[in-house]
Amino acid sequence: MAASLSNLTRFVFRLSSTVCSPLRQVQVPCRLPVRRLGPGRCLCVAASLKEEQAVRALEARHRYKEKPWEYLESEEYLERYGNGPVWAGYRRNHKGGIPPQKTRRTCIRGDKVCGNPCPVCRDSNLIVHPQNVKLLQQFMSPHTGAVYDPTRTGVCMKQQKKLNEAINTAQDQGTLPFQIPHVEFSGDDYSNSHDAVGFTPPPPCLNSGETWYKWYGEMTPDAGEVAKVRKLYKAYLKS
């Protein structure tokens, strides 16, 4: 019995060696450098770098959604836009030599982004927010404080509406300055010095006791109708 078991184990061992030997000779070519993680486990360095970059990009987008003003201070923003505004150098594609008088209504329709989107819609990290003051200042005139027209910046009407609301909110909260025209008050009273706002004397008919309309004084009411009204409201009429 022991001899038969030993012969069986020898046969299985020889069979496994003959089957696995050609498999060992076959090697999968890999041009990328391989990092050994342990016995029977490996990972390509390039794939891991791509995954790390994707994870960092997702973390950055999540952080910029909560604090959108940090994106304007990041290296990514400086490399892409420099020190100029985000709409500098933007040009919308259009047919013919004359540009359209109005920008498009929106650049994002559902989950699809149209071709050549506006300066705000083309970058998902640019978020219009009342506290994102540096972004809002790029769409305002530094001299008058007026908001630039969308035909100059190329922003779509949807983002322009958000910009107007955010700028008004920021000015109400005090994060953005706004100019009030200075008016010097002399203290003189001009209420009666002009004919349009001067004192108007009462009409002579009121001073004389006559009615305003002459035909109203000549009208005499019907006695029967007066009697009906007096009977109807006798509880409220005083004798």
Side-chain angles (χ1 to χ4, degrees), residues 22 87 130 175:
W87 52 268
T175 55

Side-chain angles (χ1 to χ4, degrees), residues 25-42:
Q25 296 177 0
V26 178
Q27 297 180 359
V28 179
C30 183
R31 298 180 182 178
L32 299 175
V34 178
R35 184 187 300 172
R36 296 289 179 179
L37 300 179
R41 298 178 60 188
C42 62

Side-chain angles (χ1 to χ4, degrees), residues 74 86 128 147 169 172 177 189 200-201 211 224:
S74 63
V86 296
V128 179
V147 183
T169 304
D172 293 341
D189 187 10
T200 304
T211 57

Side-chain angles (χ1 to χ4, degrees), residues 181-188 190:
H182 177 69
V183 179
E184 294 184 358
F185 182 70
S186 60
D188 298 335
Y190 299 98

Side-chain angles (χ1 to χ4, degrees), residues 226-239:
V226 174
K228 290 181 181 179
V229 172
R230 289 183 178 276
K231 184 178 180 182
L232 182 64
Y233 297 100
K234 65 179 180 180
Y236 303 98
L237 295 176
K238 295 182 179 179
S239 57

